[in-house]
Amino acid sequence: MKLWGGRFTKEENQLVHNFNESLSYDRKFYRQDIQGSMAHVTMLARQGIVSKEDEKAILDGLKGILEELDAGTLAFTKEHEDIHSFVEAVLTQRIGEAGKRLHTGRSRNDQVALDMKLYCRDEIVETDRLVKELLEVLLKIMEENLDTYMPGFTHLQKAQPVTLAHHVGAYFEMFLRDRSRLKDLYNRMDQCPLGAGALAGTTYPLDRNCTAELLGFAGPTWNSMDSVADRDYVVELLSTLSMIAMHLSRFSEEIIIWNSNEYRFVELDDAYSTGSSIMPQKKNPDIAELVRGKTGRVYGALVSLLTTMKGLPLAYNKDLQEDKELTFDAIDTVKGCLALFTGMISTITFCRDVMEASARKGFTNATDAADYLVNHGVPFRDAHGIVGQLVLLCIDRGIALDDLTLEEFRSVSPVFGEDIYQAISMETCVRKRNTTGAPGQEAMKEAIEACRRRLRQELDDKT
Ligand code: ARG
């Protein structure tokens, strides 16, 4: 049964129907569709556009449909084009005439714009909750690892010693920024498109402020053509999801490296790793690899929608139907990745001794040895050269800077004294780095305080 059969004389071809339909996927937002219809009819009755009796019949009917869909006792039948036609058809079948009045002063164009916005808004809240859960786990790891020394890397080469708390703190910042992006987006999309009609508003005396308020928006959208044509917020959501996926993917890549036979910085919990069907010794980081791998399809969704949107004239065009499947998939993918990653990282074992030994062996204290000379009056460029010579000596003999005798230090520069060992010890190297944002324990304690404070912010804080 078609909503728009009146003007047509031929039956719709089956292939055309299959190509055109969206019920097979927009059924995903049946709750939001019904929620929008309930607000619409409540407003229509308040404005005297439909009678109180019709309002009651419609609201009761919609409530029944919602309950049955939730319970899985009402099936989505294929002949309907989309979720909007489906709900209206079932409603009319059940309550008769009154059902036909629901769509007064509304078009599927503003209806779908509303449904998509409500759905994205709900999913933003859910995604934000999952990011927050991950941040709580990261904060706990930070608190427990202020003294877990490890090499910090540049170019994947050992650079300077840091702590695990500091390293994980970098990811904390990334995911916190993701939360602030979600929050910005949540506030920016806070206008209700319902009442925009097909594109040019309507002649009925709708109260758009009323529906906006009933649906929890700050107010109605400002321009009816923009209301039905706008999918900016979907693009922004996909961009934010891409960023979350990118952060998860970078962290996953590190977990994969740290879990490799060569590094052994971490041991994954059995529940979050898998074996090989042929090689009995294997314990593979599949979850981290899948999180890294799935990032591609999230980016794909973003680029796909940007491309769909770039040539669309105002106002509604059917191309817009293409926003759904990829957005739903990106949301579900990122939510899945967040939940799995959080589970994986909260059960991982950090091999502290291995991390620390790796930092000791990799000349990560070479800068500190140069700084020691500078503090004793040697110009930095000369100090750099002197320590370079010492490093060469060590590489030749397969030892660390700390293993050189004082005579050996002094053979390259007489400035070195007994206190050099203290100056280049791992503990000193980290402890002395106490500028804001640095890995030193004092700086880190302050950073963790600030993290805890910033984590408390919620999506709907207007702060
Ligand atoms: N299924 C459509 C979509 O997702 C609903 C809007 C249909 N509007 C129309 N004028 N054909 O965009």
Side-chain angles (χ1 to χ4, degrees):
M1 223 256 302
K2 289 281 170 270
L3 289 177
W4 35 263
R7 187 207 182 284
F8 287 75
T9 49
K10 281 194 194 160
E11 279 298 304
E12 190 191 28
N13 172 304
Q14 190 59 44
L15 284 177
V16 172
H17 174 83
N18 293 348
F19 193 65
N20 196 38
E21 72 87 31
S22 53
L23 181 61
S24 54
Y25 47 87
D26 63 17
R27 61 174 67 174
K28 204 167 167 77
F29 53 43
Y30 71 85
R31 278 196 201 95
Q32 287 79 5
D33 190 73
I34 293 175
Q35 185 190 1
S37 290
M38 285 177 156
H40 183 62
V41 75
T42 305
M43 178 276 294
L44 289 180
R46 278 193 202 167
Q47 296 299 99
I49 302 168
V50 299
S51 68
K52 285 281 164 201
E53 298 74 55
D54 284 347
E55 176 198 22
K56 182 168 182 341
I58 293 173
L59 286 177
D60 288 348
L62 288 172
K63 196 162 161 279
I65 294 174
L66 180 60
E67 281 165 7
E68 287 175 46
L69 288 176
D70 277 345
T73 50
L74 174 62
F76 293 102
T77 32
K78 276 211 178 112
E79 73 264 26
H80 301 288
E81 186 180 328
D82 51 30
I83 187 64
H84 326 297
S85 339
F86 171 80
V87 173
E88 192 180 321
V90 177
L91 181 71
T92 305
Q93 212 176 50
R94 293 184 176 186
I95 67 166
E97 281 296 293
K100 298 189 197 163
R101 298 190 197 279
L102 168 61
H103 211 51
T104 313
R106 187 174 71 168
S107 152
R108 277 185 299 161
N109 297 354
D110 59 342
Q111 190 177 357
V112 75
L114 172 68
D115 292 2
M116 192 65 181
K117 220 174 210 187
L118 288 174
Y119 186 84
C120 288
R121 193 177 65 173
D122 291 347
E123 293 298 325
I124 287 172
V125 173
E126 185 55 15
T127 307
D128 181 67
R129 190 186 64 73
L130 288 165
V131 177
K132 190 174 181 202
E133 260 177 38
L134 171 58
L135 284 166
E136 266 152 15
V137 172
L138 298 187
L139 193 55
K140 183 159 177 287
I141 297 174
M142 290 164 71
E143 284 165 342
E144 291 169 359
N145 288 284
L146 283 170
D147 295 316
T148 305
Y149 301 106
M150 63 178 287
F153 296 85
T154 60
H155 314 272
L156 212 48
Q157 311 247 348
K158 294 177 193 176
Q160 290 174 343
V162 293
T163 62
L164 182 58
H166 192 241
H167 194 116
V168 170
Y171 285 100
F172 187 97
E173 295 304 319
M174 294 179 223
F175 291 115
L176 202 66
R177 284 197 293 274
D178 291 333
R179 282 196 82 200
S180 94
R181 272 182 272 271
L182 288 170
K183 185 177 160 115
D184 286 351
L185 167 57
Y186 185 92
N187 289 327
R188 193 162 30 253
M189 63 187 274
D190 203 12
Q191 286 87 35
C192 180
L194 190 61
L199 78 162
T202 145
T203 54
Y204 299 99
L206 301 188
D207 180 352
R208 294 195 58 209
N209 284 306
C210 169
T211 37
E213 199 186 314
L214 287 173
L215 292 164
F217 286 99
T221 47
W222 303 100
N223 178 294
S224 62
M225 290 179 85
D226 177 55
S227 310
V228 294
D230 170 36
R231 294 294 183 277
D232 289 4
Y233 64 95
V234 187
V235 173
E236 282 192 63
L237 174 56
L238 291 173
S239 149
T240 304
L241 292 173
S242 295
M243 198 86 82
I244 297 173
M246 174 183 83
H247 294 149
L248 288 172
S249 183
R250 291 184 74 172
F251 208 165
S252 293
E253 168 70 3
E254 299 216 87
I255 300 293
I256 293 161
I257 294 176
W258 291 356
N259 183 63
S260 69
N261 300 140
E262 285 66 27
Y263 274 74
R264 287 273 155 252
F265 280 12
V266 293
E267 171 100 35
L268 291 170
D269 190 81
D270 279 3
Y272 290 92
S273 38
T274 55
S276 152
S277 60
I278 176 171
M279 297 166 283
Q281 82 280 16
K282 286 275 189 143
K283 191 168 157 189
N284 297 326
D286 287 29
I287 300 303
E289 289 174 355
L290 274 172
V291 170
R292 187 179 60 182
K294 284 178 189 290
T295 302
R297 59 202 265 187
V298 182
Y299 291 2
L302 171 63
V303 174
S304 178
L305 185 60
L306 281 169
T307 312
T308 297
M309 297 301 297
K310 76 184 259 297
L312 295 191
L314 291 179
Y316 178 83
N317 299 272
K318 190 71 175 234
D319 316 44
L320 290 173
Q321 181 165 289
E322 284 296 304
D323 64 353
K324 290 174 199 61
E325 278 171 292
L326 48 90
T327 303
F328 296 159
D329 181 71
I331 292 171
D332 290 344
T333 301
V334 171
K335 284 198 310 182
C337 290
L338 277 167
L340 266 294
F341 190 91
T342 301
M344 178 182 71
I345 199 79
S346 59
T347 52
I348 209 166
T349 307
F350 294 101
C351 307
R352 297 188 166 80
D353 296 349
V354 182
M355 287 180 155
E356 191 167 330
S358 165
R360 286 194 195 283
K361 276 202 213 97
F363 301 108
T364 55
N365 52 2
T367 315
D368 297 84
D371 290 346
Y372 171 94
L373 293 172
V374 170
N375 288 334
H376 287 76
V378 181
F380 180 76
R381 196 44 60 210
D382 294 340
H384 188 285
I386 293 168
V387 178
Q389 285 182 49
L390 289 169
V391 167
L392 255 185
L393 207 84
C394 292
I395 292 175
D396 255 3
R397 296 174 37 204
I399 58 172
L401 278 177
D402 323 48
D403 300 327
L404 291 169
T405 63
L406 187 55
E407 285 63 48
E408 285 164 333
F409 272 114
R410 294 178 66 93
S411 70
V412 182
S413 166
V415 179
F416 286 113
E418 191 58 52
D419 54 348
I420 179 62
Y421 296 103
Q422 160 71 16
I424 62 171
S425 79
M426 185 81 61
E427 290 71 15
T428 314
C429 291
V430 172
R431 188 167 34 78
K432 284 172 87 178
R433 291 188 150 73
N434 267 321
T435 42
T436 303
Q441 283 80 354
E442 287 316 307
M444 268 314 289
K445 276 183 200 152
E446 271 179 41
I448 287 176
E449 267 314 302
C451 287
R452 199 175 294 115
R453 197 177 57 245
R454 291 180 297 155
L455 188 52
R456 267 186 238 124
Q457 294 232 342
E458 297 301 337
L459 269 183
D460 44 10
D461 287 351
K462 298 285 177 213
T463 52

